[in-house]
């Protein structure tokens, strides 16, 4: 699962990517410094993993990860191939969620592609280009579906009605994710089309250091503009995060954070939020060899969770031994949890809960 960082040129995308991944994507004060999408595999900060490490004292610890993609900056006309438009749109189509970076700071030394600071206008520019691309997709599908609908095909007629609804929405500047469909219609007709504006989105307001805690007037405008989108808004002083990232000493980092009023890097919160945006959650395995966080979709069953470790675990699944994370911490070890009668045995229909500590029995 990948989350793509998008935005106009020079809003802080590559600097944010560097903060998140510790990779060194070129970050320069001119448009299109990111030509090929840079991909970083980012550890998901999780204090529960640290606690399990303290209790188990394993040989190694492996956190959950999420893929972040830094995508070239988009400009007006991208849907018609302007700038790096076609490449941008192809790259974003391959991601599962969007981290939309908006410039919410003043700095005369960093040029803005439109010559003015207006995050709402920036947002609308990208929304419009993505909506125009989705309109192309709708029109192509409608050409095919209309022919089948005219023959009396009921499914085609239903799909035509839904596509016309999407077309009307896009033409009115409404993204697919903001339109309402029944669960059945969405699964049958909307989801398979993989509309770009149907991807879940999180707005990252890139602010100056003084606005890192509470935001500023630009951020308030963004919150007001997206209040009907059911999208999360995160405040991040990306330049400051980059400075913190350069410090090797943990204590120095903590002091820097405390000075600006933060208890953890904003990038840590963003990574966790991106993980949730991708509809992911974590379960743990805990033993003396390793303590490990495993990534699964929200709603995954025990056999599906086992399959993340190895496909044989899913094929030959017999049962799962499950300990709630809070019980593991309360009693301090697997043995004491068993003594207290808090370990559960679950079958194939068990839906895994975030934070479950699990052990699988299987036979192939």
């Amino acid at each position: 699962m990948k989350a793509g960082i998008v935005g106009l040129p020079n809003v802080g995308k590559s600097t944010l990517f560097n903060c998140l991944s510790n990779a060194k994507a070129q970050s320069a004060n001119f448009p299109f410094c990111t030509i090929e999408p840079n991909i970083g595999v980012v550890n998901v900060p999780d204090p529960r993993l640290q606690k399990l490490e303290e209790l188990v004292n394993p040989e190694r610890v492996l956190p959950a990860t999420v893929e972040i993609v830094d995508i070239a900056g988009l400009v007006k006309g991208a849907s018609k191939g302007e700038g790096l438009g076609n490449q941008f749109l192809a790259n974003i189509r391959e991601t599962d969620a969007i981290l939309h970076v908006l410039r919410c700071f003043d700095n005369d030394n960093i040029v803005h592609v439109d010559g003015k600071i207006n995050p709402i206008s920036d947002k609308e520019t990208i929304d419009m280009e993505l909506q125009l691309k989705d309109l192309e997709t709708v029109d192509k599908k409608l050409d095919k579906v209309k022919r089948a609908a005219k023959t009396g095909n009921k499914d085609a007629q239903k799909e035509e009605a839904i596509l016309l609804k999407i077309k009307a929405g896009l033409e009115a500047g409404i993204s697919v994710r903001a339109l309402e469909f029944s669960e059945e219609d969405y699964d049958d007709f909307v989801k398979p089309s993989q509309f770009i504006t149907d991807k879940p989105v999180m707005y990252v307001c890139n602010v100056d250091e003084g606005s890192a805690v509470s935001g500023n007037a630009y951020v308030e405008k963004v919150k007001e503009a997206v209040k009907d989108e059911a999208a999360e808004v995160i405040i991040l002083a990306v330049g400051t995060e980059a400075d913190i990232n350069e410090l090797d000493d943990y204590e120095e980092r903590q002091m820097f954070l405390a000075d600006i009023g933060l208890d953890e890097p904003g990038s840590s919160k963003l990574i966790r939020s991106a993980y949730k945006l991708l509809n992911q959650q974590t379960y743990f395995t805990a033993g003396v060899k390793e303590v490990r966080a495993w990534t699964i979709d929200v709603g995954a069953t025990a056999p599906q969770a086992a399959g993340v470790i190895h496909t044989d675990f899913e094929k030959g699944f017999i049962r799962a031994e499950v300990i709630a994370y809070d019980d593991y911490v309360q009693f301090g070890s697997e043995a004491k949890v068993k003594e207290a009668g808090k370990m559960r045995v679950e079958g194939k229909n068990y839906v895994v809960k975030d934070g479950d500590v699990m052990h699988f029995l299987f036979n192939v």
Side-chain angles (χ1 to χ4, degrees):
M1 301 290 280
K2 298 177 187 174
I5 301 175
V6 306
L8 293 180
N10 284 0
V11 296
K13 300 184 308 302
S14 295
T15 307
L16 173 61
F17 175 81
N18 290 341
C19 286
L20 297 180
S21 66
N22 287 324
K24 296 300 175 189
Q26 183 187 4
S27 178
N29 183 20
F30 56 87
F32 311 133
C33 64
T34 308
I35 306 294
E36 292 298 324
N38 295 279
I39 300 177
V41 179
V42 182
N43 291 338
V44 179
D46 193 333
R48 297 174 301 181
L49 196 63
Q50 296 164 349
K51 187 64 181 176
L52 288 172
E53 180 184 9
E54 290 172 18
L55 295 173
V56 179
N57 194 25
E59 292 176 16
R60 64 175 184 167
V61 177
L62 294 171
T65 60
V66 60
E67 279 195 12
I68 305 290
V69 186
D70 181 23
I71 297 171
L74 175 146
V75 295
K76 285 177 184 173
S79 57
K80 305 299 181 192
E82 292 293 325
L84 297 169
N86 292 331
Q87 191 169 336
F88 172 99
L89 293 161
N91 294 152
I92 198 173
R93 198 178 289 281
E94 292 171 6
T95 65
D96 303 288
I98 297 170
L99 308 179
H100 187 158
V101 182
L102 296 169
R103 179 171 170 175
C104 294
F105 66 90
D106 295 304
N107 186 331
D108 292 339
N109 294 321
I110 300 177
V111 297
H112 188 286
V113 71
D114 287 335
K116 64 184 187 302
I117 309 302
N118 187 337
I120 308 307
S121 174
D122 294 355
K123 172 192 174 306
E124 289 169 350
T125 295
I126 289 203
D127 283 351
M128 184 177 68
E129 295 302 330
L130 300 185
Q131 288 160 3
L132 286 170
K133 201 64 184 175
D134 277 349
L135 263 174
E136 281 184 25
T137 304
V138 169
D139 286 338
K140 285 177 184 174
K141 289 187 76 71
L142 272 171
D143 284 344
K144 294 178 183 177
V145 171
K146 279 179 177 177
R147 288 194 290 271
K150 283 177 182 175
T151 67
N153 183 305
K154 297 293 184 187
D155 283 343
Q157 289 172 348
K158 195 170 187 181
E159 184 172 8
E160 181 185 19
I162 288 166
L163 289 173
L164 287 170
K165 177 180 178 178
I166 292 171
K167 181 179 171 71
L170 290 168
E171 288 175 340
I174 302 170
S175 295
V176 176
R177 77 178 76 86
L179 299 172
E180 292 186 5
F181 305 95
S182 70
E183 189 174 340
E184 183 183 355
D185 286 349
Y186 179 81
D187 289 342
D188 290 347
F189 303 116
V190 183
K191 189 176 180 181
S193 295
Q194 295 183 304
F195 292 110
I196 297 175
T197 65
D198 190 36
K199 297 179 188 293
V201 65
M202 176 166 59
Y203 294 99
V204 182
C205 292
N206 184 11
V207 300
D208 58 277
E209 184 176 311
S211 306
V213 177
S214 304
N216 55 29
Y218 291 130
V219 174
E220 293 309 310
K221 288 178 181 176
V222 171
K223 288 180 177 178
E224 177 64 23
V226 306
K227 66 183 182 195
D228 297 326
E229 288 191 31
E232 186 170 358
V233 176
I234 279 192
I235 302 167
L236 201 65
V238 175
T240 304
E241 295 276 334
D243 291 340
I244 294 171
N245 218 35
E246 292 298 317
L247 298 173
D248 293 324
D249 184 76
Y250 175 78
E251 294 301 326
E252 283 186 27
R253 287 189 182 201
Q254 294 307 110
M255 285 172 62
F256 197 141
L257 288 166
D259 283 346
I260 60 174
L262 297 174
D263 54 8
E264 68 170 345
S267 53
S268 295
K269 182 182 177 185
L270 188 148
I271 294 166
R272 286 196 297 270
S273 297
Y275 194 65
K276 289 179 182 174
L277 193 68
L278 290 163
N279 202 37
Q280 305 282 277
Q281 66 178 20
T282 301
Y283 78 86
F284 301 102
T285 51
V288 290
K289 288 286 184 187
E290 72 173 26
V291 166
R292 183 164 181 167
W294 299 88
T295 299
I296 54 171
D297 290 335
V298 173
T301 60
Q304 289 169 332
V308 173
I309 299 176
H310 198 288
T311 52
D312 285 350
F313 282 32
E314 183 171 3
K315 289 176 188 172
F317 179 89
I318 298 171
R319 64 181 182 273
E321 295 176 344
V322 183
I323 302 171
Y325 169 78
D326 288 343
D327 288 338
Y328 203 110
V329 171
Q330 181 184 343
F331 294 100
S333 71
E334 184 177 314
K336 288 180 179 175
V337 170
K338 283 182 179 177
E339 284 175 23
K342 290 290 186 177
M343 177 182 280
R344 308 189 313 276
V345 175
E346 301 286 359
K348 291 183 177 181
N349 296 325
Y350 176 68
V351 176
V352 179
K353 295 180 177 61
D354 186 54
D356 278 349
V357 182
M358 305 186 75
H359 177 68
F360 300 103
L361 283 82
F362 70 101
N363 182 31
V364 176

